[in-house]
Amino acid sequence: MDPQQIVFLLILGGALALFVSGRMRVDLVAMLALLALGLTGILDARQLLAGFSSEPAIIVASVFVLSAGLSATGITDRIGAGIGRAAGGSEWRTIAVVMPATAALAAFSHHVMVTAMMLPILMRLARERKLPVSRLLMPMSLAASLGTTLTLFSAPAFLLASDLLKRGGAEGLDIFDITPIGAVLVLLGTTYMLLGRWLLPRREGEAQAVDPLRLERYYTELLVEDGSPWIGRTRGEFEQAFAERLQVVDWLRHGVRRRRQAGDSPLAAGDVLLVRAPPDEIASIRDEPGLALHAVAKYGDTPREDRQAELLGEEQLVQAVVAPHSEFIGRSVADIDFLRTLGVVVVGLWRREGWLHGELSEMRLEEGDLLVLWGRQADVQSLASHRGFMMLMPFQGRRQTRRRAPLAVAIMVATVVAAATGLLAPQTAFLAGAVAMVVGRCVAIEQAYAGIDVRIFVMIAGVIPLGIAMEQTGTAQAVADLLMAHAAQWPVFVLLLVMFGTAALLTQILSDAATTVLLAPIALAVAESLGLPPTPFVVCTAMGAVASFLTPIGHHGNLLILNPGRYTFGDFLRVGVPLTTAIALATAWMARALWLGGPLLPSLPG
């Protein structure tokens, strides 16, 4: 072993120790390893910075923006709600519907975002259908991870695998090259969870404390504006159109509660609908044609005594809790006249108990009521010291540009088609798609930047030089020679299983990207020693890094469901060991069939 290999192994050992210890963020560890490779002269400046301009890093950043666009236009929420409706009331049907649908969604988005989106939907479904939530969350999380095996861009490990194949002189992977394996794994995982439901624990979900920063439903008023497309249409049509988004509680006309509120009664200009709506809908109502928040439409453009209330561009929504012994208790919103006295408008109200009816301005406030206030930043900030309020908090509602949902879908489809057909280079196609999402106003530029997980981008850019150094110093070849000295006579199928199994174990302490970068050069060297195409060996390595479900720490999505489902490490081992073993066998078999000419179906003895 030459001195350069020894130095590299010391750097690699130090990086692994820091990765495992968790004392530093993974992106910082990757940067430290990168600097060490440069300072020791193992890599030159061009090689050190190759990761930042690499295809995987650009595609990963672009996919985050594309996912943010799908989320900002409400597409992912609609799909998630549709999955919840199709799941039905039985446990087996829920698993049979949720797993393939979640996997398909994760194939074109980030699997952690998909898991986070599906989590409250399944929690609510389990509560309504009286199903143990622990029997639903784990299958959903596993499906989200398996969905990343359907397309090349859905997991950084596959992008890195393709990049390493190109660096090794082989042909890279196309977007759908791994789809046959992924489809088999999704089918296998769904079948396994349906037949092996007895392996899942039967526990009620963790009790969800009320989060004052993001409550599920608020009361607010919607005004049917002059010229609205809803004029003349019935209340039933309105409720059907907004069925998944809000609930109509009361209907006012000329300030008076309507006596006849049948579904076939037509709406008129100036009608006010008292609705229960989630925060995202309140924040997004300005984008609904012909509808407005009643209080904002009524008071927002009213001249103030001191100056014109030019709120556009600097208005914001905040939440304020009515304090004990507040001067507001027992007084109605209209009596207090929030606009004149405090410079803000009440646009929503949350009350722990009881249903509200009638005009919001006539509601008499109670201790603990949470008001949603709309006003200029300067006026809002002055409320923080007001004795009538116990606390002032940001309003946790995301504005969704639902009207641009068709455009967002079109951009996503065009991006995938352009990359899959070779019309554009993959990194160019995805970068163009991300830019189109912003230029097309599907997602705001600030939201697009916020959607990019910089840690993953920097980590990928930082670990790519580790793979280059492992190959350049000859360390990968040395490890491959050591392996072949003991396994030269093993069947290729067994060697593919070895690559999968090694990655499956290492990914429990490292990320899938880092695992792939470290082991893929060894897979390349093993294939070269055998005189075989490297693709199946590298793909099995990446699959092992992505589709291993031995512990909850192997995937971030599993960590999201750990507490809500009240799972233990033992639960994941009991469910994950047989599943991971089956996935390893299926992956090695499919990889051999796709790239080495092996049989697709097992031959029957005869």
Side-chain angles (χ1 to χ4, degrees):
M1 186 175 291
D2 62 43
Q4 199 172 49
Q5 288 181 347
I6 295 174
V7 173
F8 171 72
L9 288 176
L10 289 173
I11 294 173
L12 179 60
L16 288 175
L18 289 173
F19 275 131
V20 174
S21 70
R23 294 182 178 179
M24 290 187 181
R25 286 175 31 154
V26 291
D27 50 344
L28 179 57
V29 174
M31 288 296 98
L32 290 174
L34 185 149
L35 288 173
L37 292 173
L39 293 174
T40 54
I42 293 177
L43 298 180
D44 58 33
R46 181 183 60 81
Q47 292 170 320
L48 285 176
L49 299 177
F52 287 97
S53 60
S54 65
E55 179 180 318
I58 293 173
I59 291 178
V60 164
S62 300
V63 167
F64 277 121
V65 177
L66 288 165
S67 297
L70 296 178
S71 177
T73 52
I75 293 172
T76 50
D77 289 342
R78 292 186 199 179
I79 294 174
I83 294 172
R85 287 196 305 272
S90 64
E91 185 178 283
W92 73 267
R93 179 177 170 181
T94 300
I95 294 174
V97 169
V98 166
M99 287 193 69
T102 301
L105 194 58
F108 298 96
S109 187
H110 194 270
H111 76 281
V112 175
M113 185 191 77
V114 173
T115 303
M117 178 195 74
M118 291 301 300
L119 177 60
I121 292 173
L122 289 185
M123 292 283 286
R124 184 167 60 249
L125 187 147
R127 187 170 59 248
E128 293 173 352
R129 312 288 164 81
K130 295 180 169 49
L131 298 173
V133 73
S134 61
R135 310 272 285 188
L136 305 180
L137 294 185
M138 188 181 292
M140 178 272 293
S141 178
L142 297 180
S145 295
L146 287 176
T148 62
T149 66
L150 290 170
T151 57
L152 189 72
F153 60 85
S154 52
F158 298 120
L159 294 170
L160 290 167
S162 179
D163 185 66
L164 288 164
L165 282 169
K166 292 177 182 177
R167 292 178 187 274
E171 188 176 348
L173 297 168
D174 290 332
I175 284 181
F176 296 111
D177 275 355
I178 63 172
T179 303
I181 300 178
V184 169
L185 297 188
V186 171
L187 178 61
L188 174 64
T190 304
T191 304
Y192 172 84
M193 295 309 304
L194 286 172
L195 297 178
R197 283 183 293 151
W198 57 273
L199 291 170
L200 293 167
R202 186 177 293 274
R203 303 189 188 103
E204 296 300 323
E206 184 182 60
Q208 298 294 304
V210 175
D211 181 2
L213 292 180
R214 186 175 178 85
L215 300 170
E216 198 168 284
R217 295 272 172 171
Y218 299 77
Y219 288 95
T220 190
E221 291 176 337
L222 301 184
L223 172 69
V224 179
E225 298 181 305
D226 292 336
S228 171
W230 288 105
I231 296 174
R233 298 177 67 182
T234 66
R235 172 176 171 168
E237 291 177 306
F238 183 91
E239 291 179 327
Q240 183 177 3
F242 290 89
E244 298 297 330
R245 299 166 56 184
L246 50 83
Q247 179 181 11
V248 178
V249 176
D250 211 344
W251 182 4
L252 309 175
R253 179 169 290 174
H254 305 303
V256 179
R257 184 172 185 265
R258 292 210 64 188
R259 293 183 179 179
R260 185 173 183 273
Q261 301 197 10
D264 59 353
S265 299
L267 297 172
D271 281 359
V272 175
L273 299 173
L274 178 66
V275 301
R276 295 178 72 236
D280 291 351
E281 295 301 329
I282 295 178
S284 308
I285 203 65
R286 70 174 64 178
D287 294 313
E288 291 294 335
L291 295 177
L293 292 174
H294 180 219
V296 174
K298 185 176 181 181
Y299 301 113
D301 294 325
T302 300
R304 298 281 304 279
E305 293 179 1
D306 51 347
R307 60 190 182 281
Q308 183 75 17
E310 298 175 352
L311 294 172
L312 186 60
E314 57 172 313
E315 76 274 9
Q316 67 181 112
L317 291 166
V318 296
Q319 299 176 110
V321 178
V322 177
H325 312 297
S326 169
E327 62 191 79
F328 303 137
I329 294 175
R331 299 173 63 190
S332 70
V333 173
D335 289 341
I336 299 169
D337 195 351
F338 279 83
L339 179 65
R340 185 182 62 80
T341 58
L342 299 174
V344 295
V345 174
V346 177
V347 298
L349 185 150
W350 177 87
R351 182 169 291 169
R352 183 178 297 273
E353 297 177 354
W355 281 69
L356 304 182
H357 291 277
E359 194 168 358
L360 194 63
S361 62
E362 299 304 320
M363 300 296 173
R364 295 193 176 276
L365 299 182
E366 299 177 2
E367 176 186 335
D369 280 355
L370 190 148
L371 303 177
V372 182
L373 306 174
W374 184 88
R376 283 180 295 190
Q377 294 176 10
D379 293 324
V380 165
Q381 290 170 0
S382 66
L383 296 179
S385 58
H386 197 286
R387 294 182 180 181
F389 298 120
M390 189 163 55
M391 63 180 71
L392 197 69
M393 303 167 289
F395 182 68
Q396 300 296 314
R398 299 168 301 158
R399 183 181 175 186
Q400 295 184 330
T401 52
R402 296 181 184 274
R403 285 184 293 174
R404 301 194 179 275
L407 177 61
V409 172
I411 291 172
M412 189 70 192
V413 171
T415 299
V416 174
V417 169
T421 60
L423 183 64
L424 295 173
Q427 64 270 35
T428 305
F430 279 90
L431 184 59
V435 172
M437 281 287 189
V438 176
V439 173
R441 293 185 292 173
C442 297
V443 60
I445 184 67
E446 296 82 4
Q447 194 174 351
Y449 279 122
I452 299 174
D453 192 331
V454 178
R455 292 173 300 175
I456 294 179
F457 176 82
V458 172
M459 185 198 68
I460 290 174
V463 297
I464 283 177
L466 278 176
I468 298 174
M470 177 170 275
E471 186 175 359
Q472 185 167 297
T473 59
T475 305
Q477 186 63 54
V479 175
D481 291 342
L482 181 63
L483 175 62
M484 296 310 298
H486 297 85
Q489 305 305 315
W490 291 0
V492 172
F493 181 74
V494 174
L495 289 174
L496 293 175
L497 285 176
V498 168
M499 297 311 304
F500 183 102
T502 304
L505 292 174
L506 191 57
T507 198
Q508 303 308 313
I509 57 175
L510 298 180
S511 68
D512 58 346
T515 298
T516 303
V517 165
L518 294 178
L519 295 182
I522 299 173
L524 286 167
V526 168
E528 185 178 351
S529 301
L530 294 172
L532 294 173
T535 303
F537 294 88
V538 174
V539 167
C540 282
T541 301
M543 284 285 180
V546 170
S548 171
F549 307 107
L550 300 176
T551 67
I553 61 175
H555 294 273
H556 293 158
N558 288 344
L559 292 175
L560 288 179
I561 67 167
L562 188 61
N563 288 331
R566 294 187 174 178
Y567 295 114
T568 66
F569 268 58
D571 295 330
F572 282 90
L573 284 173
R574 184 172 60 255
V575 175
V577 170
L579 177 59
T580 302
T581 302
I583 287 173
L585 293 169
T587 299
W589 187 275
M590 289 293 297
R592 188 181 64 169
L594 290 172
W595 290 289
L596 296 176
L600 186 59
L601 297 175
S603 57
L604 297 175

